[in-house]
Amino acid sequence: MKPSSISFEEAAAVPLAGLTALQGLREGKIQPGQKVLVNGATGGVGTFAVQIAKSLGAEVTAVCSTRNLDLVRSIGADHVIDYTKEDFTKTDQRYDVIFDNVCNHSFSERRRVLNPKGICVLAGMGGAGVKEGQAIGRIARNLFIARGLSSFTDQKFAQYMTKVSKQDLIMLGDLIQAGKLRPVIERTYKLNDAPEALRHLDQGHARGKVVIAVE
Ligand SMILES: NC(=O)c1ccc[n+]([C@@H]2O[C@H](COP(=O)([O-])OP(=O)(O)OC[C@H]3O[C@@H](n4cnc5c(N)ncnc54)[C@H](OP(=O)(O)O)[C@@H]3O)[C@@H](O)[C@H]2O)c1
């Protein structure tokens, strides 16, 4: 059921991105107080991941570009890294969980900032800037490396495919109703403007979700 506290447009933004964030963070086995980094924190999945990780009691570091610093702070990020100025894999910080929506760093770079028993969850496995035709090959390669590394070291790389789950949708609805989660909507387009909406998404710099309203 749609939570009564949000509009239909906001509700339409929840299922795929919300489930991807929730199920990915579950792969990370987050415990209260753990340090969680969300790379790509201001897109559709990232804006849910930051809020859900906070609701699980994590200390959240969000990686985004300069124009989105205020947005990630407004959804609860404790720390922010501006990727145009600083590379999160080159800092002295270590994280228990990295939730990676962008996958624009090598496995060894991410291992450097992962705690010895940390988990890196790969949501965007294709990697930044990958064209549709190359995505399958890139995903297969990443899966192979992730499985290999996870079996030989205590640091784990988790991959997953989002599944439709009634139970998880109810959980997201409960978080929304409790005021712990709110979909971030960049813009609502008319159905006639759907191509423009898709072109915008394709550029890879959405701020939260875009919604198409069918009148
Ligand atoms: N595992 C699954 O089953 C599953 C399901 C759904 C989606 N996904 C994947 O999850 C990923 C995220 O999806 P999405 O819908 O959230 O994408 P999106 O809405 O297009 O968001 C992309 C985000 O990435 C950020 N970004 C771009 N370049 C970056 C960089 N170099 N460093 C850090 N952030 C950067 C952008 O922020 P700026 O504007 O600040 O650059 C933007 O907020 C995609 O790869 C998608 O394929 C996986």
Side-chain angles (χ1 to χ4, degrees):
M1 298 289 285
K2 178 184 86 59
S4 58
S5 57
I6 58 170
S7 67
F8 281 98
E9 284 170 11
E10 287 174 304
V14 175
L16 178 61
L19 290 175
T20 303
L22 177 65
Q23 293 171 9
L25 291 171
R26 194 176 285 142
E27 294 285 333
K29 303 183 174 65
I30 293 180
Q31 303 295 319
Q34 281 194 324
K35 287 185 192 304
V36 175
L37 177 134
V38 179
N39 188 27
T42 51
V45 177
T47 46
F48 282 100
V50 169
Q51 297 179 76
I52 296 171
K54 280 301 295 176
S55 77
L56 295 171
E59 183 182 330
V60 177
T61 300
V63 182
C64 65
S65 61
T66 315
R67 71 190 181 110
N68 289 323
L69 296 176
D70 288 343
L71 169 61
V72 274
R73 287 196 186 103
S74 75
I75 57 173
D78 299 290
H79 314 283
V80 178
I81 296 176
D82 179 345
Y83 73 75
T84 66
K85 300 199 170 123
E86 194 176 12
D87 180 338
F88 77 86
T89 64
K90 297 199 166 52
T91 70
D92 293 332
Q93 281 299 319
R94 297 287 177 275
Y95 301 95
D96 300 300
V97 177
I98 296 176
F99 183 82
D100 198 344
N101 282 307
V102 190
C103 289
N104 56 337
H105 292 88
S106 68
F107 282 90
S108 56
E109 284 171 328
R110 283 173 290 189
R111 284 186 68 197
R112 213 187 72 72
V113 285
L114 206 52
N115 274 332
K117 295 198 171 183
I119 303 177
C120 179
V121 182
L122 308 169
M125 284 189 296
V130 175
K131 299 274 173 256
E132 211 172 298
Q134 304 169 323
I136 300 289
R138 184 73 73 94
I139 289 170
R141 175 183 161 276
N142 284 346
L143 269 173
F144 182 73
I145 299 174
R147 292 237 167 108
L149 283 173
S150 297
S151 43
F152 291 115
T153 74
D154 282 340
Q155 293 174 327
K156 303 293 174 209
F157 284 86
Q159 336 80 40
Y160 68 107
M161 289 304 288
T162 307
K163 293 188 183 67
V164 177
S165 155
K166 182 176 172 183
Q167 228 177 351
D168 284 350
L169 283 173
I170 290 171
M171 194 179 287
L172 290 170
D174 289 347
L175 283 174
I176 291 168
Q177 200 65 31
K180 293 181 177 169
L181 181 63
R182 182 116 211 165
V184 174
I185 298 191
E186 176 178 12
R187 190 174 153 190
T188 300
Y189 292 78
K190 290 186 179 153
L191 184 56
N192 277 347
D193 297 328
E196 188 190 336
L198 291 172
R199 272 195 296 274
H200 173 58
L201 271 186
D202 214 28
Q203 286 167 6
H205 296 286
R207 302 180 86 202
K209 296 291 291 180
V210 301
V211 173
I212 294 169
V214 182
E215 286 161 32

